[in-house]
Amino acid sequence: MANITKKVSWSSRDDDPAQGEGTPLLNGASGAARYTRQFSGGSIFHIGRLSTVDLEEDITTQEDGVLSWPKEIPHNEKLLSLKYESLDYDNSENQLFLEEERRMSYMGFRCLEINRWVVCGLIGFLTGLIACFIDIVVEKLAGLKYQGIKQSIENFTEAGGLCISLILWAVLNSVFVMVGAVIVAFFEPVAAGSGIPQIKCYLNGVKMPRVVRLKTLVVKVCGVICSVVGGLAVGKEGPMIHSGAVVAAGVSQGRSTSLKRDFKIYEYFRRDTEKRDFVSAGAAAGVSAAFGAPVGGVLFSLEEGASFWNQMLTWRIFFASMMSTFTLNFFLSIYHSKPGDLSNPGLINFGRFESDSVTYNIYEIPIFIIMGALGGVLGALFNVLNYWLSIFRMRYVHRPCLQVMEAMLVAAVTATVSFTMIYFSNDCQPLGEDQSEEYPLQLFCADGEYNSMATTFFNTPERSVRSLFHNPPGSFNPLTLGVFTLTYFFLACWTYGLTVSAGVFIPSLLIGAAWGRLFGILLATITNSGSNWADPGKYALIGAAAQLGGIVRMTLSLTVIMVEATGNVTYGLPIMLVLMTAKIVGDYFVEGLYDIHIKLQSVPFLHWEAPATSHSLTAREVMSSPVTSFNRIEKVGNIVDVLSNTSTNHNGFPVVNEFIDINEPGKICGLILRSQLIVLLKHKVFVERAHSRLHQRKLQLKDFRDAYPRFPPIQSIHVSQDERECMMDLTEFMNPTPYAVPQETSLPRVFKLFRALGLRHLVVVDNENRVVGLVTRKDLARYHLGKHGLEELQLAQM
């Protein structure tokens, strides 16, 4: 095992030697285990042992009985957090499940399929309504803000006192951002950011706490409105994707656990497997609503999120995306008093490129590829800077009040920088009849002219992107574009990661469109053949794609999104080449932005393939052991004790035949989950009660679905002393056919089986089919390729 690099992390205190290998671990080891399987060659087997690092004592300090916050919270991205649990994407085919499936007729299954289409339609419709609400409110509030500031600037330009306009701008930005930051930091922190990393983790099989709650949706929508109106370098597209996912998770269950309302519909879909598919549809509907790209939304879910895919799911997701786009456009057309006009593609209206300005020559392809490489380098720089900034925030800006203050500071600085850039800019452009600027500022320009720098800063980011795409040649001088690119690059990098609801798509597009248009202008100047490079808008489009691809590392889905959003197929091939180049170049330096933030959260995320050099590891070396197991007929007191053990958080238990020896494992005959055991205890499903004269209702799958997804804690279930002596028969409720692998199975094979089937537990057996270990998500996620080969992460109580 010489090729394994053991990553030794740190702790706030010395490791307790008394814990040792008896340290209780998630889904794996337990000091009170039923048995302990020992192997020869302890050094080889030791690599399969999970080691933990306790960070809790660094989080709070206590002096004189008064709890105080630390100045610094240490962080190490080389750890995996124990707080994240897995989702059960594999159906438990116990007797109850099989009986229900066998009773269902062909028409019953057809009705279920129709209901899936109906739910996807509802998801698209509601996501479109939310997008319409966000767009209208942002347009109204931003319009009022910019009109007020514009009026103030015009009044004080000649009379003096422009500092008052600056203060007004900074105060308005700070107030809006303060509201958005307060509701996120104090009410629902999971609503911070774009939400795309969290949705990626959820679809990957990680149970992200509170990520698809109704409260999260409300805070997300209100927060993104405040962020955009507050003038931050943010976009609405990421929050729309998160919002669509939350809508999908709620609608598909036919009830709201937050509001405690059950509509008694779609009860069959109350399980992780079904919810995962609907969340995929919701994420796609969010993309479609943001960009007007139904096909791009489907590909986004496939490329960035979904861990499972089939043909029927593709069509249902496409239906949800189409419904989302149609709903948004329909209601926006009514709002704008154009009932017959459905031309607005989505929240992010890039506008349509005219046919005479979208042509390109073959000899421009290498130039586009060079732009893709430049986008990859700039994207990598953006990600590296944001990574170190995020580390700083996690260590020092961890209190909600500090997070709100930082957001307000960024808002004020953004307004100050914008005002300064506009004030010192002398790029004056004629105000023609066909100009499309929403809030043109004259400032110190002559009559009939407007300040070109204001076109980029004094606007919402979406409108600024459209201006860079479609304004005629000569609308911006190179200095304006260069200064704006440099300034906005650092503002966007500083902004992403604040405790506000915000996305990174539009800021990335705006940065890329600026330097792309600058690239086209300089190209025409250098070659002295302006007619060949007549339209700088096409270079703005290529630059926007290159910058966004260099930051988020999307390829196929982003190509289709850009094509659908601009309404032009001509540039499909160049955009694809640019995005591939940006991804290849960017990946050489650092990971994509979403992957970086997933790693910073210490999430046990499983990629598509196992590490390339992991064939030397076997299931025996990576599994968690010893394992807590139960007999088919188990004593209630033993079950309660295992579930109540606060030092463990086991969520799956192998069911074995009777033990011959307490030190000898039994043969596997099933697997039962913690959630199932809690429901059984709640309903007192004991053997003695079934044999008594007291009538006891037969437990059904509905009882488990009604408790899903917030199963009650074991502490809320009362079990009397007499009931502790009763027995519980697990045969009917356990999964009698769990997936299992021999202990000599290679890690890549274990990984492929676990990842492809969306498992939560994978039992490891010996050659006599006896349980020797259990493979969980964290056992696989802790191995990754580092600078020195295969490295092993450690688990931490974070």
Side-chain angles (χ1 to χ4, degrees), residues 85-102:
E85 299 179 7
S86 295
L87 296 167
D88 296 303
Y89 286 162
D90 177 47
N91 291 323
S92 177
E93 293 191 350
N94 54 23
Q95 292 184 20
L96 296 182
F97 178 83
L98 294 177
E99 289 173 3
E100 181 184 80
E101 296 291 304
R102 289 164 183 163

Side-chain angles (χ1 to χ4, degrees), residues 540-595:
L541 175 63
I542 297 298
Q547 183 67 50
L548 181 54
I551 291 177
V552 301
R553 311 293 162 77
M554 294 162 54
T555 53
L556 182 60
S557 59
L558 189 53
T559 300
V560 178
I561 288 173
M562 296 294 291
V563 168
E564 288 186 284
T566 57
N568 191 296
V569 186
T570 307
Y571 273 81
L573 176 62
I575 290 176
M576 187 62 177
L577 292 175
V578 165
L579 291 173
M580 290 178 61
T581 305
K583 176 175 173 56
I584 293 172
V585 174
D587 285 343
Y588 179 79
F589 297 101
V590 70
E591 295 177 300
L593 187 63
Y594 298 143
D595 292 327

Side-chain angles (χ1 to χ4, degrees), residues 624-744:
S624 298
S625 66
V627 181
T628 301
S629 300
F630 291 127
N631 291 313
R632 277 181 182 269
I633 301 179
E634 185 62 74
K635 189 176 180 181
V636 172
N638 291 338
I639 296 177
V640 172
D641 290 340
V642 170
L643 298 183
S644 302
N645 190 349
T646 57
S647 64
T648 61
N649 190 21
H650 298 68
N651 289 292
F653 305 90
V655 181
V656 298
N657 294 323
E658 289 290 338
F659 294 106
I660 301 176
D661 187 341
I662 193 171
N663 295 321
E664 196 70 21
K667 292 185 177 180
I668 181 72
C669 62
L671 182 75
I672 194 162
L673 303 176
R674 166 184 285 266
S675 58
Q676 294 173 314
L677 291 172
I678 286 179
V679 174
L680 296 179
L681 290 172
K682 179 181 179 181
H683 290 272
K684 313 293 184 184
V685 184
F686 306 148
V687 174
E688 287 76 5
R689 290 172 64 93
H691 292 167
S692 67
R693 296 181 180 179
L694 296 174
H695 175 71
Q696 183 175 8
R697 179 178 64 86
K698 180 178 174 61
L699 215 61
Q700 301 177 347
L701 275 183
K702 184 180 184 302
D703 297 299
F704 295 90
R705 290 168 180 161
D706 287 343
Y708 176 85
R710 302 185 194 177
F711 294 96
I714 185 63
Q715 291 78 11
S716 66
I717 298 175
H718 175 70
V719 178
S720 65
Q721 191 62 39
D722 291 338
E723 290 174 335
R724 287 180 58 88
E725 301 301 321
C726 295
M727 305 299 291
M728 183 183 291
D729 189 352
L730 307 179
T731 305
E732 187 179 5
F733 310 101
M734 70 180 186
N735 181 4
T737 57
Y739 289 99
V741 294
Q743 57 186 345
E744 299 303 329

Side-chain angles (χ1 to χ4, degrees), residues 375-446:
V377 173
L378 291 177
L381 176 62
F382 185 98
N383 292 355
V384 169
L385 293 176
N386 189 261
Y387 166 79
W388 289 111
L389 180 60
S390 299
I391 290 289
F392 177 84
R393 284 180 174 136
M394 296 175 73
R395 289 181 175 176
Y396 299 102
V397 192
H398 47 79
R399 298 181 63 181
C401 57
L402 293 177
Q403 294 169 343
V404 173
M405 291 172 62
E406 185 198 14
M408 294 175 63
L409 173 64
V410 175
V413 170
T414 301
T416 303
V417 170
S418 302
F419 186 88
T420 304
M421 294 294 102
I422 296 173
Y423 182 84
F424 287 103
S425 173
N426 57 359
D427 184 8
C428 297
Q429 301 293 334
L431 190 62
E433 296 180 357
D434 58 344
Q435 68 87 25
S436 58
E437 311 310 324
E438 293 291 331
Y439 316 104
L441 282 178
Q442 181 180 356
L443 208 60
F444 299 114
C445 295

Side-chain angles (χ1 to χ4, degrees), residues 438-461:
E438 293 291 331
Y439 316 104
L441 282 178
Q442 181 180 356
L443 208 60
F444 299 114
C445 295
D447 292 340
E449 294 182 339
Y450 69 97
N451 188 300
S452 182
M453 181 68 81
T455 303
T456 53
F457 274 117
F458 199 69
N459 229 328
T460 59

Side-chain angles (χ1 to χ4, degrees), residues 123-294:
I123 291 170
F125 176 76
L126 293 176
T127 304
L129 282 181
I130 292 173
C132 182
F133 173 78
I134 292 175
D135 190 57
I136 292 174
V137 175
V138 167
E139 179 182 342
K140 284 294 184 183
L141 292 180
L144 292 173
K145 187 190 82 168
Y146 285 121
Q147 287 291 355
I149 298 172
K150 181 176 182 293
Q151 187 66 37
S152 174
I153 292 176
E154 290 176 349
N155 292 338
F156 289 107
T157 298
E158 295 183 0
L162 278 174
C163 60
I164 298 178
S165 300
L166 168 60
I167 294 173
L168 175 63
W169 193 350
V171 168
L172 288 176
N173 276 14
S174 299
V175 169
F176 280 113
V177 171
M178 181 189 69
V179 174
V182 165
I183 60 176
V184 170
F186 288 95
F187 293 95
E188 197 55 80
V190 77
S194 66
I196 295 179
Q198 288 85 350
I199 297 303
K200 284 187 63 174
C201 293
Y202 183 92
L203 294 176
N204 188 259
V206 182
K207 187 176 183 180
M208 305 297 290
R210 309 183 65 84
V211 75
V212 288
R213 297 278 183 90
L214 177 62
K215 183 179 178 182
T216 304
L217 174 63
V218 174
V219 173
K220 198 82 179 184
V221 171
C222 298
V224 72
I225 291 174
C226 293
S227 300
V228 176
V229 177
L232 293 177
V234 299
K236 298 172 284 191
E237 68 303 319
M240 271 310 307
I241 295 169
H242 190 180
S243 299
V246 179
V247 168
V251 171
S252 63
Q253 304 303 290
R255 67 178 177 186
S256 172
T257 52
S258 298
L259 300 178
K260 295 180 172 55
R261 293 292 304 274
D262 192 341
F263 300 99
K264 305 296 182 182
I265 57 175
Y266 307 136
E267 295 178 345
Y268 185 85
F269 300 146
R270 293 176 184 177
R271 45 181 164 157
D272 290 338
T273 310
E274 296 285 350
K275 187 188 285 189
R276 169 197 60 190
D277 296 342
F278 291 120
V279 169
S280 298
V287 174
S288 182
F291 293 98

